[in-house]
Coordinates of all heavy atoms in Angstrom, one line a residue:
L1521 N -21.1 -5.4 24.5 CA -20.5 -4.2 23.9 C -19.5 -4.6 22.7 O -18.9 -3.7 22.1 CB -19.9 -3.4 24.9 CG -20.7 -2.7 25.8 CD1 -20.0 -2.0 27.0 CD2 -21.5 -1.6 25.1
L1522 N -19.3 -5.8 22.5 CA -18.4 -6.2 21.4 C -19.2 -5.8 20.1 O -20.3 -6.2 19.9 CB -18.2 -7.7 21.4 CG -17.1 -8.2 22.4 CD1 -17.2 -9.8 22.3 CD2 -15.8 -7.7 22.1
A1523 N -18.5 -4.9 19.4 CA -19.2 -4.5 18.1 C -18.3 -4.7 16.9 O -17.1 -4.7 16.9 CB -19.5 -3.0 18.3
D1524 N -19.0 -4.9 15.8 CA -18.3 -5.1 14.5 C -17.3 -4.1 14.1 O -16.4 -4.4 13.6 CB -19.4 -5.1 13.4 CG -19.7 -6.4 12.8 OD1 -19.1 -7.4 13.2 OD2 -20.7 -6.6 12.1
G1525 N -17.6 -2.8 14.4 CA -16.5 -1.8 14.0 C -15.6 -1.3 15.1 O -14.8 -0.5 14.8
R1526 N -15.8 -1.9 16.3 CA -14.8 -1.3 17.3 C -13.5 -2.2 17.4 O -13.3 -2.9 18.4 CB -15.6 -1.4 18.6 CG -16.5 -0.3 18.8 CD -17.1 -0.1 20.2 NE -18.3 0.6 20.2 CZ -19.4 0.2 20.8 NH1 -19.3 -1.0 21.5 NH2 -20.5 0.9 20.8
Y1527 N -12.7 -2.3 16.4 CA -11.5 -3.0 16.4 C -10.5 -2.3 15.4 O -10.9 -1.5 14.7 CB -11.8 -4.5 16.0 CG -11.8 -4.6 14.5 CD1 -10.7 -5.1 13.8 CD2 -13.0 -4.4 13.8 CE1 -10.8 -5.3 12.4 CE2 -13.0 -4.5 12.4 CZ -11.9 -4.9 11.7 OH -11.9 -5.1 10.4
Y1528 N -9.3 -2.8 15.6 CA -8.3 -2.4 14.6 C -7.3 -3.5 14.7 O -7.1 -4.2 15.6 CB -7.7 -1.0 14.8 CG -7.2 -0.7 16.2 CD1 -5.9 -0.8 16.5 CD2 -8.1 -0.1 17.1 CE1 -5.4 -0.6 17.8 CE2 -7.6 0.2 18.4 CZ -6.3 -0.1 18.8 OH -5.9 0.2 20.0
L1529 N -6.3 -3.5 13.7 CA -5.3 -4.5 13.7 C -4.0 -4.0 14.0 O -3.6 -2.8 13.5 CB -5.3 -5.2 12.3 CG -6.5 -5.9 11.8 CD1 -6.3 -6.4 10.3 CD2 -6.9 -7.0 12.7
T1530 N -3.1 -4.6 14.7 CA -1.7 -4.1 14.9 C -0.8 -5.4 14.5 O -1.4 -6.5 14.2 CB -1.5 -3.8 16.4 OG1 -1.6 -5.0 17.1 CG2 -2.5 -2.8 16.9
D1531 N 0.5 -5.2 14.7 CA 1.4 -6.2 14.4 C 1.4 -7.3 15.4 O 1.6 -8.4 15.2 CB 2.9 -5.6 14.2 CG 3.0 -4.8 13.0 OD1 2.3 -5.0 12.0 OD2 3.9 -4.0 13.1
Q1532 N 0.9 -6.9 16.6 CA 0.9 -7.9 17.8 C -0.5 -8.6 17.7 O -0.4 -9.8 18.3 CB 0.9 -7.1 19.1 CG 2.3 -6.4 19.4 CD 2.4 -5.2 18.6 OE1 1.5 -4.4 18.3 NE2 3.7 -5.0 18.1
G1533 N -1.6 -8.0 17.2 CA -2.7 -8.8 17.2 C -4.0 -7.9 16.9 O -3.9 -6.8 16.5
L1534 N -5.2 -8.5 17.2 CA -6.4 -7.9 17.0 C -6.8 -7.1 18.3 O -6.7 -7.7 19.4 CB -7.5 -9.0 16.8 CG -9.0 -8.4 16.8 CD1 -9.3 -7.8 15.5 CD2 -9.9 -9.7 16.9
C1535 N -7.0 -5.9 18.1 CA -7.3 -4.9 19.3 C -8.9 -4.6 19.2 O -9.5 -4.2 18.2 CB -6.6 -3.6 19.1 SG -4.9 -3.9 19.4
L1536 N -9.5 -5.0 20.3 CA -10.9 -4.6 20.6 C -11.0 -3.5 21.5 O -10.3 -3.6 22.6 CB -11.7 -5.9 20.9 CG -11.6 -7.1 20.0 CD1 -12.1 -8.4 20.8 CD2 -12.3 -6.9 18.8
W1537 N -11.8 -2.5 21.3 CA -11.9 -1.4 22.3 C -13.4 -1.1 22.7 O -14.2 -1.5 21.9 CB -11.3 -0.2 21.7 CG -11.8 0.3 20.5 CD1 -11.5 -0.1 19.1 CD2 -12.9 1.3 20.3 NE1 -12.2 0.6 18.3 CE2 -13.1 1.4 18.9 CE3 -13.6 2.0 21.1 CZ2 -14.1 2.3 18.4 CZ3 -14.6 2.9 20.7 CH2 -14.7 3.0 19.3
F1538 N -13.5 -0.5 23.8 CA -14.8 -0.2 24.4 C -15.0 1.2 24.6 O -13.9 1.9 25.0 CB -15.0 -0.9 25.8 CG -15.0 -2.4 25.5 CD1 -13.8 -3.2 25.6 CD2 -16.1 -3.2 25.3 CE1 -13.7 -4.5 25.4 CE2 -16.0 -4.6 25.1 CZ -14.9 -5.2 25.2
P1539 N -16.1 1.8 24.3 CA -16.3 3.3 24.5 C -15.9 3.8 26.0 O -16.2 2.9 26.9 CB -17.8 3.6 24.1 CG -18.1 2.4 23.4 CD -17.3 1.2 23.9
Q1540 N -15.6 5.0 26.1 CA -15.3 5.6 27.3 C -16.6 5.5 28.3 O -17.7 5.8 27.8 CB -14.9 7.1 27.2 CG -14.5 7.8 28.4 CD -13.9 9.2 28.3 OE1 -14.4 9.9 27.4 NE2 -12.8 9.5 28.9
E1541 N -16.4 5.2 29.5 CA -17.5 5.2 30.5 C -18.5 4.1 30.3 O -19.6 4.2 31.0 CB -18.1 6.6 30.7 CG -17.2 7.7 31.1 CD -18.0 9.0 31.4 OE1 -18.5 9.1 32.6 OE2 -18.1 9.8 30.6
T1542 N -18.2 3.1 29.6 CA -19.1 2.0 29.5 C -18.8 0.8 30.5 O -19.6 0.1 31.0 CB -19.2 1.4 28.0 OG1 -17.8 1.1 27.6 CG2 -19.7 2.4 27.1
L1543 N -17.4 0.6 30.7 CA -17.1 -0.5 31.6 C -16.5 0.1 32.9 O -16.5 -0.5 33.9 CB -15.9 -1.2 31.1 CG -16.3 -2.0 29.7 CD1 -15.1 -2.8 29.2 CD2 -17.6 -3.0 30.0
G1544 N -16.1 1.4 32.9 CA -15.4 2.0 33.9 C -15.5 3.6 34.0 O -16.2 4.0 33.1
P1545 N -15.1 4.2 35.1 CA -15.2 5.6 35.0 C -14.4 6.3 33.9 O -13.6 5.7 33.2 CB -14.7 6.0 36.4 CG -13.8 4.9 36.8 CD -14.3 3.7 36.2
K1546 N -14.7 7.6 33.7 CA -14.0 8.3 32.6 C -12.4 8.2 32.6 O -11.8 8.1 31.6 CB -14.4 9.8 32.7 CG -13.8 10.7 31.6 CD -14.3 12.2 31.9 CE -15.5 12.4 30.9 NZ -15.8 13.8 30.9
N1547 N -11.8 8.2 33.8 CA -10.4 8.0 33.8 C -9.9 6.7 33.4 O -8.6 6.5 33.3 CB -9.8 8.4 35.3 CG -10.2 7.5 36.4 OD1 -11.2 6.7 36.1 ND2 -9.6 7.7 37.4
A1548 N -10.7 5.7 33.2 CA -10.3 4.4 32.6 C -10.1 4.5 31.2 O -9.5 3.6 30.5 CB -11.4 3.4 32.9
G1549 N -10.4 5.6 30.5 CA -10.2 5.8 29.1 C -10.9 5.0 28.2 O -12.2 4.7 28.4
L1550 N -10.5 4.5 27.2 CA -11.1 3.5 26.3 C -10.5 2.1 26.5 O -9.4 1.8 26.0 CB -10.9 3.9 24.9 CG -11.3 5.3 24.5 CD1 -10.8 5.7 23.0 CD2 -12.9 5.4 24.5
P1551 N -11.1 1.3 27.3 CA -10.5 0.0 27.6 C -10.3 -0.8 26.4 O -11.2 -0.9 25.5 CB -11.6 -0.8 28.4 CG -12.4 0.4 29.1 CD -12.3 1.5 28.1
T1552 N -9.0 -1.3 26.2 CA -8.7 -2.0 25.0 C -8.0 -3.3 25.2 O -7.3 -3.4 26.3 CB -7.6 -1.1 24.2 OG1 -8.2 0.1 23.9 CG2 -7.3 -1.7 22.8
V1553 N -8.4 -4.3 24.5 CA -7.9 -5.7 24.6 C -7.1 -6.0 23.4 O -7.6 -5.9 22.3 CB -9.0 -6.7 24.9 CG1 -8.6 -8.1 24.9 CG2 -9.7 -6.4 26.3
I1554 N -5.9 -6.6 23.6 CA -5.2 -7.0 22.4 C -5.2 -8.6 22.5 O -4.7 -9.2 23.5 CB -3.7 -6.6 22.5 CG1 -3.7 -5.1 22.4 CG2 -3.0 -7.2 21.3 CD1 -2.3 -4.4 22.5
L1555 N -5.7 -9.3 21.4 CA -5.7 -10.7 21.3 C -4.6 -11.1 20.3 O -4.8 -10.8 19.0 CB -7.1 -11.2 20.8 CG -8.3 -10.8 21.8 CD1 -9.5 -11.4 21.1 CD2 -8.0 -11.6 23.2
P1556 N -3.5 -11.7 20.8 CA -2.5 -12.2 19.7 C -3.1 -13.1 18.6 O -3.9 -13.8 18.9 CB -1.5 -13.0 20.6 CG -1.7 -12.4 21.9 CD -3.2 -12.1 22.1
Y1557 N -2.5 -12.9 17.5 CA -3.2 -13.6 16.3 C -3.0 -15.2 16.6 O -3.9 -16.0 16.1 CB -2.5 -13.3 15.0 CG -2.7 -12.0 14.6 CD1 -1.6 -11.0 14.4 CD2 -4.0 -11.4 14.4 CE1 -1.8 -9.7 14.0 CE2 -4.2 -10.0 14.0 CZ -3.1 -9.2 13.9 OH -3.3 -7.9 13.5
D1558 N -2.0 -15.7 17.2 CA -1.8 -17.1 17.3 C -2.6 -17.6 18.6 O -2.5 -18.7 18.8 CB -0.4 -17.4 17.4 CG 0.4 -16.8 18.5 OD1 -0.1 -16.0 19.2 OD2 1.5 -17.1 18.7
S1559 N -3.2 -16.8 19.4 CA -3.9 -17.3 20.5 C -5.3 -17.9 20.2 O -5.8 -18.6 21.0 CB -4.2 -16.0 21.5 OG -5.1 -15.1 20.9
L1560 N -5.8 -17.6 19.0 CA -7.2 -18.2 18.6 C -7.1 -18.6 17.1 O -6.5 -17.9 16.3 CB -8.4 -17.2 18.8 CG -8.6 -16.7 20.2 CD1 -9.6 -15.5 20.0 CD2 -9.3 -17.9 20.9
D1561 N -7.6 -19.8 16.9 CA -7.6 -20.3 15.5 C -8.3 -19.3 14.5 O -7.8 -19.1 13.4 CB -8.3 -21.6 15.4 CG -7.6 -22.8 16.1 OD1 -6.4 -22.6 16.2 OD2 -8.1 -23.8 16.5
I1562 N -9.3 -18.7 15.0 CA -10.0 -17.8 14.1 C -9.2 -16.5 13.7 O -9.4 -15.9 12.7 CB -11.3 -17.3 14.9 CG1 -12.3 -16.8 13.9 CG2 -11.1 -16.4 15.9 CD1 -13.7 -16.5 14.4
L1563 N -8.2 -16.2 14.5 CA -7.2 -15.1 14.1 C -6.1 -15.4 13.4 O -5.4 -14.5 12.9 CB -6.9 -14.4 15.5 CG -8.0 -13.9 16.4 CD1 -7.4 -13.2 17.6 CD2 -8.8 -12.8 15.7
R1564 N -5.7 -16.7 13.3 CA -4.4 -17.0 12.8 C -4.3 -16.6 11.3 O -3.2 -16.3 10.8 CB -4.2 -18.6 12.8 CG -3.9 -18.9 14.3 CD -3.4 -20.3 14.4 NE -3.1 -20.5 15.8 CZ -3.1 -21.5 16.4 NH1 -3.2 -22.7 15.8 NH2 -3.0 -21.6 17.8
R1565 N -5.3 -16.6 10.6 CA -5.3 -16.2 9.1 C -5.0 -14.7 9.0 O -4.7 -14.3 7.9 CB -6.5 -16.5 8.4 CG -7.7 -15.9 8.9 CD -8.9 -16.3 8.2 NE -10.2 -15.8 8.6 CZ -11.1 -15.5 7.8 NH1 -11.2 -15.7 6.7 NH2 -12.2 -14.8 8.3

Side-chain angles (χ1 to χ4, degrees):
L1521 289 171
L1522 285 175
D1524 252 352
R1526 288 194 200 127
Y1527 83 97
Y1528 52 91
L1529 302 176
T1530 68
D1531 292 334
Q1532 293 76 36
L1534 172 74
C1535 293
L1536 302 165
W1537 59 272
F1538 298 86
Q1540 190 175 36
E1541 298 187 84
T1542 55
L1543 300 181
K1546 187 179 253 184
N1547 63 345
L1550 301 168
T1552 303
V1553 171
I1554 299 175
L1555 299 175
Y1557 296 120
D1558 60 356
S1559 66
L1560 293 170
D1561 290 338
I1562 195 169
L1563 300 179
R1564 289 194 180 155
R1565 63 186 179 141

